[in-house]
Amino acid sequence: MTKILSIACSTLGDRLSGAIEVYHSLKLQDESVDFIIIHQIPAGSELSEESQKLQQWLVEHSKINYVPMYTKGLTKSRNVGIKSCQTKYIWIMDDDITFSSGILPKVETYLLQSSNAACHTFESKKPSGKKRTLYPRDGKILNKKELLRVASFEMILNKDFLVKEGVGFREDMGVGGNKINLGEESVLISDLGRRDGATVHHALEVLSHPEISTGVIVSLENFYSKGVVIRRCFDGFERIYFYIRDANRLLRNKKNEFGVLPHRIRLIVALTKGCFFNG
């Protein structure tokens, strides 16, 4: 059977063993998918002896496509994964997830049913067993508000569409030294939409992911980044709407999660700079 799906797992330095654990969590019984590990090894860094042994195993014995990358940047590594992909679809993956049992055949069925979509999104759960977020209904085309909730490890991209339209992750975004440290997934989906590429949601729980992620941290850097995401995803009235929504959340502080008023004002200033003056 012709393969239709690659899984591209980005990792950094001595986290290499985590990416290999992700591969083993699939419990593959056949060669139905390609598994790619993009290993960021920034210049000047030194791998542990264990990681060097894993490198050797990957190159000499494993069925994994191992791609070393001698620079740092999560979005850069994801774009390298896209370039290394030889199948129609590519699943963007973190190095700290666990796949749901027997999930691949179900995922591939959904992909074949909506083969014209530019992006497919799925669902994940927290270690507690609760859903990561509120998801759209099955088969729904994502609207502007819903694209802001998507996590990278829930995305399967139509690589052929990306190549045809010249679209990829914006490399000035994402963790790994960038000032804009979040939201690259939402911006990519928005960029696809501007090229008439639909993103369709599938109500299928595909994996579990640790509780903490960059987007929930309250910091000036994160709110500046949120502003940039609003700027890049929305135009005109929509941009104003989402800016006011987030600024109002900071002012009201219903759950007492944003600190005292002077700090909340600084967060609003950071949000404003990102949304209207930079990025």
Side-chain angles (χ1 to χ4, degrees), residues 4 16 20 45 61 103 119 121 127 150-151 163 206 212 227 240 251:
I4 65 168
L16 180 59
I20 294 173
S45 62
H61 302 294
I103 201 62
C119 178
T121 62
V150 176
V163 172
V206 294
I212 300 300
I240 300 295
L251 283 173

Side-chain angles (χ1 to χ4, degrees), residues 217-233:
I217 299 171
V218 177
S219 67
L220 296 177
E221 294 79 8
N222 272 15
F223 274 88
Y224 168 79
S225 298
K226 288 174 186 287
V228 175
V229 172
I230 292 171
R231 179 182 177 90
R232 292 183 175 183
C233 287

Side-chain angles (χ1 to χ4, degrees), residues 35-222:
F35 196 91
I36 308 167
I37 290 180
I38 306 94
H39 188 194
Q40 303 167 67
I41 314 168
S45 62
E46 186 174 341
L47 294 176
S48 67
E49 184 177 342
E50 178 188 0
S51 293
Q52 292 178 42
K53 289 179 180 178
L54 290 173
Q55 274 188 309
Q56 185 176 357
W57 173 77
L58 285 166
V59 171
E60 296 179 359
H61 302 294
S62 82
K63 296 177 181 178
I64 297 170
N65 180 6
Y66 174 68
V67 183
M69 173 183 149
Y70 300 101
T71 185
K72 185 178 180 181
L74 183 57
T75 48
K76 290 179 181 177
S77 72
R78 287 172 175 166
N79 285 338
V80 168
I82 292 169
K83 290 177 182 177
S84 303
C85 175
Q86 300 297 314
T87 58
K88 179 175 180 179
Y89 297 104
I90 180 167
W91 193 347
I92 305 301
M93 196 52 58
D94 284 1
D95 62 4
D96 55 356
I97 67 90
T98 302
F99 286 104
S100 302
S101 177
I103 201 62
L104 284 178
K106 298 174 185 177
V107 166
E108 290 180 338
T109 297
Y110 274 112
L111 295 178
L112 292 171
Q113 288 174 350
S114 305
S115 60
N116 292 326
C119 178
H120 302 256
T121 62
F122 293 84
E123 300 182 3
S124 63
K125 64 180 179 180
K126 302 175 182 179
S128 64
K130 294 182 179 179
K131 288 182 180 292
R132 186 190 63 82
T133 189
L134 178 66
Y135 292 102
R137 60 175 169 78
D138 187 51
K140 187 176 187 298
I141 303 297
L142 265 61
N143 61 32
K144 294 293 184 70
K145 183 177 181 179
E146 291 161 344
L147 69 84
L148 294 173
R149 300 190 194 130
V150 176
S152 58
F153 46 82
E154 296 168 344
M155 298 171 65
I156 297 183
L157 299 164
N158 184 328
K159 188 235 15 187
D160 293 344
F161 188 91
L162 298 180
V163 172
K164 176 186 173 186
E165 297 295 331
V167 182
F169 288 97
R170 298 202 192 187
E171 294 186 358
D172 64 341
M173 305 185 75
V175 296
N178 290 318
K179 187 176 180 181
I180 310 161
N181 61 1
L182 53 79
E184 64 272 16
E185 307 92 343
S186 301
V187 173
L188 176 59
I189 292 174
S190 180
D191 288 343
L192 293 172
R194 290 188 176 102
R195 292 161 175 83
D196 296 321
T199 295
V200 60
H201 181 72
H202 307 293
L204 177 67
E205 189 177 275
V206 294
L207 56 83
S208 62
H209 187 273
E211 189 86 28
I212 300 300
S213 64
T214 307
V216 300
I217 299 171
V218 177
S219 67
L220 296 177
E221 294 79 8
N222 272 15

